[in-house]
Amino acid sequence: MSPALRVRGRDVGVHGGAVMAIVNRTTDSFFPSARHADDDVALAAVERALRDGAEIIDVGGVRAGVGPEVTPAEEIDRVAPFVARLRAELGDTVVLSVDTWRAEVAEAVADAGADLLNDTWAGADPGLVEVAGRRGLAVVVSHTGGLPPRTDPHDVRFDLPPDAPADADPLDAVVHDVVTTLAAGAARAVACGVDPLGVLVDPTHDFGKRTVDSLRLVRRTPALVALGHPVLMALSRKDFVGETLDLPVDERLEGTLAATALAAWGGARVFRAHDVRATRRTLDMVAAIRGDLAPRAAVRGL
């Protein structure tokens, strides 16, 4: 299994992995139930996520995909005061993450008390990881196939390395590209001062990928674990689940949990999720099967 995430000296996800709850301060997130633009509604969502077993709260201010422009100032206004409120009300009982690719937003949320910068756009702003290193924050290193922020993939192609065996599966080209990119991104984060165990590597399903690529990355989770950093899986209700089962976003829970179970068995450590309670129970069941957690009420046959 990949190592536990370390945030400000605290290990997260030690027993059965950690759930990162999604709380978006937007009105246009792809999953309507994750839209929490109102402060009180967002706070209620955070409280519910913590009751359901989340260890990390991931606050986002901009829809990841194509949508109306959001300036850095608008993004800061959506997330920084809310992070400050969470820190004041919750203290250090929870890890606070912010989903952003902008260094200036990273500085603002660091001031507000954030612990983790979730850069889903693969270092599009190279200054973000420098903020993480300078401010002592953990950081997500991701893979988008070279796409700039908020763009959708088109005509996606990955190439096997020149030294690949003649009988290599062409679908493993995406695994090679992801592993190579994440290794380089993680190395830069460490060089900038981020704790190696504070570098979450994320294959970033859907971003710059076809559905077959995302499926292959779930199957090849151990290749990501071999990088030696904690592994993040952001699988929740994504298009690769929907296209695999031909289902709309509000019917993708079972497919998400199946992928979650396989990725957890493969060694992933942190799971970004809309459905916190279901994800927590899935991770606990996988951990019990693996032998990492004892059954909570085992009386049958005694």
Side-chain angles (χ1 to χ4, degrees):
M1 192 167 183
S2 69
L5 170 66
R6 185 174 296 158
V7 179
R8 299 191 191 276
R10 167 188 172 192
D11 290 339
V12 180
V14 175
H15 302 295
V19 180
M20 173 190 279
I22 301 167
V23 179
N24 287 327
R25 308 304 318 280
T26 62
T27 59
D28 59 348
S29 297
F30 82 99
F31 183 40
S33 295
R35 299 171 185 170
H36 305 298
D38 178 82
D39 278 6
D40 290 335
V41 171
L43 182 61
V46 169
E47 293 171 345
R48 182 169 58 253
L50 294 176
R51 288 195 303 270
D52 287 344
E55 291 186 69
I56 305 169
I57 301 298
D58 190 44
V59 181
V62 183
R63 175 179 175 151
V66 176
E69 180 184 359
V70 178
T71 67
E74 289 174 311
E75 185 181 358
I76 290 169
D77 187 57
R78 290 178 181 183
V79 297
F82 186 67
V83 168
R85 179 178 178 182
L86 291 180
R87 183 56 75 210
E89 295 190 16
L90 300 174
D92 294 328
T93 61
V94 60
V95 174
L96 298 180
S97 169
V98 174
D99 182 352
T100 186
W101 74 91
R102 292 164 162 160
E104 58 195 295
V105 178
E107 288 279 15
V109 298
D111 290 339
D115 304 298
L116 170 64
L117 301 175
N118 181 11
D119 179 9
T120 54
W121 286 105
D125 183 342
L128 183 143
V129 71
E130 297 169 6
V131 174
R134 188 173 67 253
R135 303 296 297 269
L137 307 184
V139 69
V140 173
V141 171
S142 58
H143 174 280
T144 63
L147 289 181
R150 308 194 72 196
T151 55
D152 289 335
H154 175 70
D155 194 25
V156 174
R157 300 173 187 271
F158 296 102
D159 297 319
L160 288 167
D163 59 351
D167 60 350
D169 189 327
L171 280 177
D172 274 339
V174 67
V175 180
H176 169 75
D177 199 272
V178 168
V179 168
T180 301
T181 299
L182 294 183
R188 180 165 189 264
V190 172
C192 287
V194 180
D195 183 336
L197 296 182
V199 178
L200 263 176
V201 291
D202 177 9
T204 327
H205 296 77
D206 278 1
F207 286 47
K209 299 169 187 72
R210 304 165 298 171
T211 285
V212 291
D213 297 320
S214 291
L215 291 171
R216 179 53 62 104
L217 287 165
V218 174
R219 178 179 177 181
R220 295 294 308 280
T221 298
L224 306 170
V225 172
L227 289 168
H229 299 278
V231 174
L232 168 66
M233 288 284 176
L235 309 170
S236 188
R237 297 182 180 268
K238 281 193 169 179
D239 284 346
F240 85 95
V241 175
E243 290 189 2
T244 298
L245 301 176
D246 192 16
L247 292 173
V249 65
D250 59 344
E251 295 184 31
R252 298 176 185 174
L253 177 57
E254 298 91 343
T256 296
L257 295 179
T260 296
L262 290 172
W265 186 259
R269 179 67 67 169
V270 180
F271 292 81
R272 187 174 183 269
H274 299 96
D275 307 278
V276 172
R277 182 166 56 181
T279 303
R280 179 70 269 159
R281 290 175 175 174
T282 298
L283 296 181
D284 287 350
M285 190 66 187
V286 172
I289 293 169
R290 184 189 291 117
D292 295 340
L293 285 179
R296 294 175 182 167
V299 296
R300 182 175 178 83
L302 299 181

